[in-house]
Amino acid sequence: MKEINNQAEDLTVWLNTSAIVDLGPIIAGVQVFGPETRQAFQRDLLAWYDQEKRDLPWRENQDPYRVWVSEIMLQQTQVDTVINYFNNFMKVFPTIADLAQATEADLLKVWQGLGYYSRVRNMQAAARDIMANHEGVFPTEIKAIKALKGIGPYTAGAIASIAFNQAVPAIDGNAMRVLARLFAIDADIAVAKNRKIFEEIGSYLIDYNRPGDFNQAIMDLGSSYCSYKNPQPELSPIRAYNLSTLNGTTLAYPVKSKQKKARDVYYQALLIENQQGQILMIKRSDGQLLKNMWSVPLLESRRDQVTDYQYVVAETSANYQVSPIVMKEPLAEIKHIFTHLKWHIRPFYMRLRPEEEALLAKQLDKAYGNSWCWLAASDMDQLPVARVQEKIWQVYRDFKKQ
DNA sequence: AATCCGGGGCC
DNA sequence: GGCCCAGGATT
């Protein structure tokens, strides 16, 4: 006998105080309302959506390319952040063919600052797949959509429903929060297998006439009346159906177990300046975080809180066979937080001796081939760099201004 | 199933 | 400082 997730005593609220007129099936252990109420729920939700939906650039039409680009950008990224990136991306790569032909540097440049850079690399792989195997036309079958690189269950559902009017759910963190509150579901949304519960419920709830709008309405709800921190469930268009609202337990849902803390990593950044006032930049290699983006050399400290000027001098000499004039103290202490790492960076400014510049170039050619260069502060927009690199360069520019 | 992968916003 | 965000690939 399968345990019912939401409690029977809670459910009576539905029948006593709200618009629920029929109890429906138990789906993946969750008691939901029946088909009649479902119809009213869809009607109220979509009526609200028609009046209040956000005006977003990717909602201009149902072009699958635009929907696709927006969905990839929106993975783990907030709407406000995405809007400008989206408009620029469509300008630079107006078609799937343009995306397929781009250089990696151009891809990274367009994505610079958005994070999770494999998203855009995967998108190009998918674009090339579409050109080679789908005659340049975005596939319509959900299995084919999900087979594209970078497209998982959520994004496949979003594209299939929004661009192609297919009645499939699109379950992301937003949707899980909305549904968990709607039915008072106790399942831990951090546990991967529990996503299936929400997919089944989403499949049950979805409006077959307007699946794309239905899924987007859930998202808009999740960013407004059903937001994580400051929800206003009593004003929500679905308040009459919402079990946690009726029980006053909104903030108890969704249940989510904690993730681990980011690990501290300590670096010294080498700001090596040549005679022209340029700084040494190196392209990060394939195996590294932020791969193929450009960075000043980073030394990983062997112990926490290393400020040791002598360590910097020794490592610079060992790595590059030169002995620049190094400032005794770091210019700053920069913190940069990734999901799983917390970088602490101390930038050291050093000036190369004139007679050693040619020697250094030779060493760099040997060690890095084409993957290094001298860069003036004013030319930083020429190379793809991650945000942490901009922070380091800001410290450098501030120092030079003094 | 757990880990890796960015960056910004909010409290 | 902690958690969230229109997640997916890899192991």
Side-chain angles (χ1 to χ4, degrees):
Chain A
M1 176 75 185
K2 215 168 178 182
E3 201 172 321
I4 297 179
N5 186 300
N6 40 8
Q7 301 301 309
E9 56 268 30
D10 296 337
L11 296 170
T12 59
V13 185
W14 261 349
L15 300 171
N16 293 336
T17 67
S18 80
I20 309 299
V21 295
D22 55 336
L23 287 182
I26 294 169
I27 297 177
V30 177
Q31 173 71 63
V32 302
F33 46 63
E36 283 183 47
T37 304
R38 174 177 60 185
Q39 194 171 358
F41 171 84
Q42 293 167 345
R43 181 198 60 216
D44 289 352
L45 178 64
L46 287 169
W48 168 74
Y49 181 73
D50 288 336
Q51 288 213 338
E52 306 289 338
K53 69 177 170 186
R54 290 173 290 180
D55 189 15
L56 301 169
W58 47 90
R59 286 180 174 173
E60 220 170 73
N61 57 44
Q62 290 179 278
D63 177 0
Y65 179 53
R66 294 172 68 87
V67 174
W68 175 35
V69 172
S70 72
E71 289 301 339
I72 300 296
M73 284 189 174
L74 286 161
Q75 289 170 5
Q76 300 299 103
T77 310
Q78 307 201 124
V79 168
D80 290 343
T81 305
V82 165
I83 291 175
N84 288 337
Y85 280 96
F86 175 82
N87 288 327
N88 184 53
F89 191 99
M90 296 312 300
K91 201 159 62 184
V92 177
F93 305 122
T95 68
I96 297 177
D98 295 316
L99 175 57
Q101 292 161 14
T103 66
E104 188 181 22
D106 286 340
L107 288 183
L108 291 174
K109 202 68 208 170
V110 166
W111 214 262
Q112 178 170 324
L114 259 187
Y116 286 137
Y117 297 92
S118 64
R119 286 185 291 176
V120 71
R121 278 188 277 259
N122 288 338
M123 204 159 47
Q124 182 180 53
R128 291 177 171 168
D129 187 358
I130 292 169
M131 298 308 291
N133 302 316
H134 298 281
E135 301 176 343
V137 180
F138 201 95
T140 58
E141 295 300 317
I142 188 149
K143 271 186 81 172
I145 295 172
K146 191 148 54 173
L148 295 170
K149 203 135 190 193
I151 296 183
Y154 162 73
T155 305
I159 295 173
S161 62
I162 297 170
F164 301 122
N165 303 312
Q166 293 177 34
V168 290
I171 302 302
D172 63 344
N174 249 321
M176 286 194 282
R177 182 176 58 256
V178 171
L179 296 180
R181 287 177 177 166
L182 177 60
F183 293 121
I185 301 170
D186 290 326
D188 185 348
I189 66 169
V191 175
K193 67 177 163 59
N194 285 339
R195 194 172 44 77
K196 195 158 167 290
I197 298 171
F198 296 92
E199 281 177 346
E200 289 183 30
I201 293 172
S203 296
Y204 173 78
L205 283 183
I206 197 165
D207 188 319
Y208 273 65
N209 296 314
R210 301 177 59 189
D213 287 343
F214 179 90
N215 283 337
Q216 293 184 89
I218 296 288
M219 296 168 196
D220 278 15
L221 208 55
S223 73
S224 57
Y225 297 111
C226 195
S227 68
Y228 174 70
K229 276 288 185 193
N230 295 317
Q232 297 180 283
E234 67 285 351
L235 300 177
S236 165
I238 61 164
R239 58 186 174 276
Y241 310 91
N242 199 317
L243 196 49
S244 71
T245 303
L246 298 169
N247 286 327
T249 55
T250 302
L251 293 178
Y253 304 98
V255 175
K256 186 174 186 183
S257 54
K258 287 179 188 146
Q259 66 175 56
K260 286 191 340 192
K261 232 183 90 179
R263 179 168 46 97
D264 290 298
V265 185
Y266 297 83
Y267 290 105
Q268 285 106 2
L270 308 187
L271 294 167
I272 307 177
E273 194 180 275
N274 70 3
Q275 299 310 302
Q276 288 75 48
Q278 299 165 311
I279 291 291
L280 175 62
M281 293 287 280
I282 295 171
K283 190 161 93 170
R284 293 174 68 80
S285 60
D286 257 9
Q288 290 180 302
L289 183 64
L290 303 172
K291 64 178 172 183
N292 295 348
M293 304 189 84
W294 291 75
S295 166
V296 298
L298 298 175
L299 302 177
E300 184 169 355
S301 302
R302 296 197 188 111
R303 55 187 189 279
D304 293 357
Q305 305 299 334
V306 172
T307 60
D308 193 347
Y309 144 84
Q310 293 188 358
Y311 174 71
V312 170
V313 170
E315 288 296 308
T316 304
S317 167
N319 290 337
Y320 306 114
Q321 323 297 323
V322 293
S323 307
I325 301 161
V326 183
M327 270 184 65
K328 300 264 183 192
E329 298 294 331
L331 298 183
E333 164 102 34
I334 298 171
K335 279 185 212 158
H336 189 77
I337 300 177
F338 301 94
T339 304
H340 59 301
L341 295 175
K342 184 169 177 182
W343 281 10
H344 304 256
I345 302 175
R346 296 174 184 248
F348 278 82
Y349 173 74
M350 57 188 79
R351 191 172 289 154
L352 199 59
R353 299 174 198 274
E355 68 273 17
E356 289 190 330
E357 194 166 325
L359 176 61
L360 176 58
K362 215 168 114 184
Q363 297 296 331
L364 292 167
D365 282 340
K366 199 160 67 182
Y368 299 107
N370 289 329
S371 299
W372 71 275
C373 69
W374 293 110
L375 190 69
S378 55
D379 290 337
M380 230 188 70
D381 59 351
Q382 302 294 310
L383 295 177
V385 298
R387 193 66 89 205
V388 61
Q389 208 56 215
E390 298 184 49
K391 291 183 186 174
I392 296 172
W393 277 74
Q394 189 56 50
V395 166
Y396 171 67
R397 277 191 293 263
D398 290 345
F399 166 68
K400 295 299 280 187
K401 254 193 303 197
Q402 290 171 7

XYZ file of all heavy atoms in Angstrom, chain A residues 175-212:
303
model
N 8.264 25.215 -10.914
C 7.087 24.361 -11.001
C 6.984 23.451 -9.778
O 5.889 23.228 -9.250
C 7.130 23.527 -12.282
N 8.127 22.956 -9.317
C 8.083 22.077 -8.145
C 7.614 22.851 -6.917
O 6.864 22.326 -6.095
C 9.457 21.436 -7.908
C 9.745 20.344 -8.921
S 11.140 19.278 -8.495
C 12.508 20.318 -8.955
N 8.025 24.103 -6.803
C 7.561 24.899 -5.673
C 6.054 25.146 -5.762
O 5.318 24.987 -4.780
C 8.307 26.232 -5.596
C 7.886 27.068 -4.391
C 8.679 28.352 -4.246
N 8.585 29.199 -5.422
C 9.516 29.361 -6.327
N 10.662 28.741 -6.183
N 9.346 30.143 -7.365
N 5.595 25.530 -6.940
C 4.172 25.800 -7.122
C 3.342 24.555 -6.823
O 2.350 24.615 -6.094
C 3.898 26.295 -8.558
C 2.399 26.369 -8.824
C 4.550 27.653 -8.784
N 3.756 23.428 -7.372
C 2.985 22.194 -7.192
C 3.086 21.668 -5.767
O 2.106 21.156 -5.223
C 3.464 21.125 -8.190
C 3.247 21.471 -9.668
C 3.767 20.350 -10.565
C 1.777 21.746 -9.967
N 4.275 21.814 -5.161
C 4.428 21.351 -3.776
C 3.485 22.123 -2.858
O 2.870 21.550 -1.950
C 5.869 21.519 -3.317
N 3.351 23.421 -3.103
C 2.437 24.217 -2.280
C 0.987 23.943 -2.634
O 0.121 23.926 -1.755
C 2.756 25.704 -2.455
C 4.050 26.108 -1.763
C 4.391 27.569 -2.004
N 5.606 27.942 -1.273
C 6.301 29.056 -1.491
N 5.909 29.914 -2.417
N 7.385 29.326 -0.772
N 0.741 23.731 -3.904
C -0.637 23.494 -4.342
C -1.223 22.261 -3.679
O -2.372 22.271 -3.220
C -0.661 23.338 -5.869
C -2.011 23.016 -6.511
C -3.029 24.112 -6.219
C -1.837 22.838 -8.026
N -0.433 21.205 -3.595
C -0.950 19.947 -3.061
C -0.297 19.551 -1.734
O -0.465 18.423 -1.284
C -0.759 18.819 -4.079
C -1.588 18.990 -5.320
C -0.982 19.068 -6.562
C -2.974 19.081 -5.257
C -1.738 19.234 -7.721
C -3.744 19.241 -6.403
C -3.116 19.324 -7.640
N 0.460 20.459 -1.141
C 1.127 20.178 0.137
C 1.954 18.892 0.054
O 1.819 17.981 0.871
C 0.112 20.094 1.279
N 2.828 18.866 -0.924
C 3.643 17.667 -1.165
C 4.926 17.731 -0.345
O 5.659 18.710 -0.406
C 4.005 17.558 -2.664
C 2.722 17.495 -3.499
C 4.890 16.348 -2.916
C 2.959 17.626 -4.987
N 5.176 16.660 0.408
C 6.330 16.645 1.311
C 7.621 16.144 0.668
O 8.664 16.159 1.292
C 6.039 15.737 2.521
C 5.000 16.358 3.434
O 4.988 17.601 3.540
O 4.202 15.615 4.027
N 7.554 15.682 -0.555
C 8.738 15.088 -1.178
C 9.859 16.111 -1.307
O 9.635 17.259 -1.683
C 8.369 14.535 -2.557
N 11.070 15.668 -0.992
C 12.266 16.517 -1.047
C 12.622 16.815 -2.508
O 12.995 15.925 -3.261
C 13.415 15.780 -0.352
C 14.676 16.622 -0.255
O 14.758 17.684 -0.906
O 15.585 16.211 0.498
N 12.533 18.085 -2.886
C 12.787 18.402 -4.300
C 14.275 18.377 -4.650
O 14.644 18.471 -5.820
C 12.198 19.775 -4.697
C 12.918 20.926 -3.975
C 10.708 19.817 -4.432
C 12.561 22.288 -4.534
N 15.131 18.250 -3.641
C 16.564 18.126 -3.932
C 16.922 16.701 -4.333
O 18.012 16.449 -4.835
C 17.393 18.552 -2.729
N 16.011 15.763 -4.081
C 16.259 14.368 -4.429
C 15.811 14.125 -5.869
O 14.639 14.308 -6.210
C 15.515 13.424 -3.469
C 15.672 11.984 -3.899
C 16.027 13.627 -2.042
N 16.749 13.697 -6.701
C 16.512 13.646 -8.143
C 15.274 12.839 -8.523
O 14.475 13.255 -9.350
C 17.745 13.108 -8.847
N 15.113 11.691 -7.883
C 14.030 10.809 -8.328
C 12.655 11.392 -8.041
O 11.658 10.995 -8.662
C 14.173 9.423 -7.717
C 13.984 9.363 -6.202
C 14.087 7.908 -5.732
C 14.310 7.766 -4.245
N 13.303 8.349 -3.370
N 12.583 12.338 -7.117
C 11.286 12.923 -6.784
C 10.737 13.850 -7.876
O 9.562 14.205 -7.851
C 11.379 13.695 -5.464
C 11.422 12.752 -4.281
O 11.004 11.598 -4.376
N 11.950 13.232 -3.165
N 11.589 14.209 -8.803
C 11.102 15.041 -9.906
C 9.987 14.338 -10.672
O 9.078 14.966 -11.206
C 12.256 15.393 -10.852
C 11.925 16.516 -11.821
C 13.149 16.956 -12.606
N 13.927 15.842 -13.088
C 13.595 15.104 -14.136
N 12.511 15.384 -14.824
N 14.333 14.085 -14.495
N 10.045 13.011 -10.665
C 9.036 12.221 -11.376
C 7.635 12.450 -10.796
O 6.646 12.469 -11.521
C 9.409 10.736 -11.294
C 8.687 9.838 -12.258
C 9.458 8.547 -12.481
C 8.590 7.511 -13.183
N 7.506 6.994 -12.305
N 7.567 12.595 -9.484
C 6.278 12.872 -8.848
C 5.659 14.127 -9.459
O 4.478 14.151 -9.838
C 6.461 13.080 -7.326
C 7.011 11.816 -6.671
C 5.148 13.523 -6.678
C 7.421 12.006 -5.208
N 6.482 15.153 -9.571
C 5.980 16.427 -10.076
C 5.669 16.359 -11.568
O 4.746 17.017 -12.045
C 6.991 17.536 -9.764
C 7.167 17.763 -8.283
C 8.160 17.093 -7.575
C 6.316 18.613 -7.593
C 8.306 17.295 -6.212
C 6.456 18.819 -6.229
C 7.459 18.151 -5.529
N 6.421 15.557 -12.278
C 6.130 15.389 -13.709
C 4.774 14.720 -13.907
O 3.991 15.115 -14.777
C 7.227 14.557 -14.380
C 8.486 15.362 -14.675
C 9.602 14.522 -15.278
O 9.518 13.271 -15.236
O 10.558 15.128 -15.778
N 4.505 13.724 -13.084
C 3.220 13.033 -13.231
C 2.064 13.961 -12.882
O 1.015 13.959 -13.551
C 3.190 11.781 -12.346
C 4.105 10.672 -12.862
C 4.006 9.395 -12.015
O 2.923 9.146 -11.455
O 5.012 8.679 -11.920
N 2.247 14.750 -11.852
C 1.194 15.688 -11.474
C 1.043 16.784 -12.531
O -0.078 17.167 -12.885
C 1.487 16.293 -10.087
C 1.375 15.189 -9.029
C 0.534 17.433 -9.777
C 1.819 15.594 -7.653
N 2.184 17.248 -13.054
C 2.129 18.230 -14.135
C 1.394 17.684 -15.348
O 0.624 18.406 -15.999
N 1.621 16.422 -15.650
C 0.931 15.797 -16.783
C -0.578 15.736 -16.553
O -1.364 15.889 -17.486
C 1.446 14.374 -17.010
O 2.807 14.392 -17.369
N -0.932 15.523 -15.303
C -2.367 15.445 -14.970
C -3.028 16.821 -15.065
O -4.159 16.947 -15.534
C -2.527 14.875 -13.564
C -3.956 14.912 -13.048
C -4.894 13.977 -13.479
C -4.358 15.879 -12.132
C -6.206 14.011 -13.013
C -5.656 15.923 -11.654
C -6.585 14.980 -12.095
O -7.869 15.029 -11.643
N -2.306 17.834 -14.629
C -2.905 19.171 -14.541
C -2.959 19.922 -15.860
O -3.815 20.785 -16.069
C -2.109 20.036 -13.548
C -2.314 19.799 -12.070
C -1.479 20.815 -11.285
C -3.792 19.920 -11.697
N -2.043 19.620 -16.749
C -1.811 20.492 -17.902
C -3.050 20.644 -18.794
O -3.827 19.707 -18.965
C -0.609 19.981 -18.735
C -0.087 21.070 -19.664
C -0.974 18.719 -19.507
C 1.284 20.763 -20.241
N -3.204 21.833 -19.321
C -4.319 22.133 -20.215
C -3.958 21.673 -21.627
O -3.009 22.172 -22.223
C -4.589 23.641 -20.195
C -5.856 23.989 -20.960
O -6.080 23.400 -22.041
O -6.621 24.834 -20.476
N -4.718 20.716 -22.159
C -4.388 20.147 -23.463
C -4.613 21.140 -24.599
O -4.078 20.972 -25.696
C -5.184 18.854 -23.719
C -4.478 17.650 -23.149
C -4.303 17.525 -21.773
C -3.960 16.654 -23.988
C -3.634 16.433 -21.230
C -3.289 15.555 -23.461
C -3.130 15.459 -22.094
O -2.452 14.382 -21.572
N -5.415 22.145 -24.364
C -5.630 23.132 -25.415
C -4.530 24.190 -25.448
O -4.210 24.718 -26.506
C -6.982 23.825 -25.227
C -8.126 22.839 -25.373
O -8.135 22.039 -26.313
N -9.059 22.866 -24.437
N -3.974 24.490 -24.283
C -2.956 25.541 -24.224
C -1.777 25.119 -23.334
O -1.477 25.783 -22.332
C -3.573 26.834 -23.685
C -4.737 27.340 -24.529
C -5.355 28.592 -23.911
N -4.381 29.667 -23.774
C -4.615 30.799 -23.116
N -5.797 30.991 -22.522
N -3.688 31.729 -23.030
N -1.093 24.036 -23.710
C -0.037 23.512 -22.834
C 1.117 24.492 -22.605
O 1.622 24.599 -21.487
C 0.439 22.257 -23.566
C -0.006 22.420 -24.972
C -1.261 23.231 -24.931
N 1.521 25.196 -23.653
C 2.628 26.126 -23.510
C 2.275 27.270 -22.570
O 3.072 27.656 -21.697
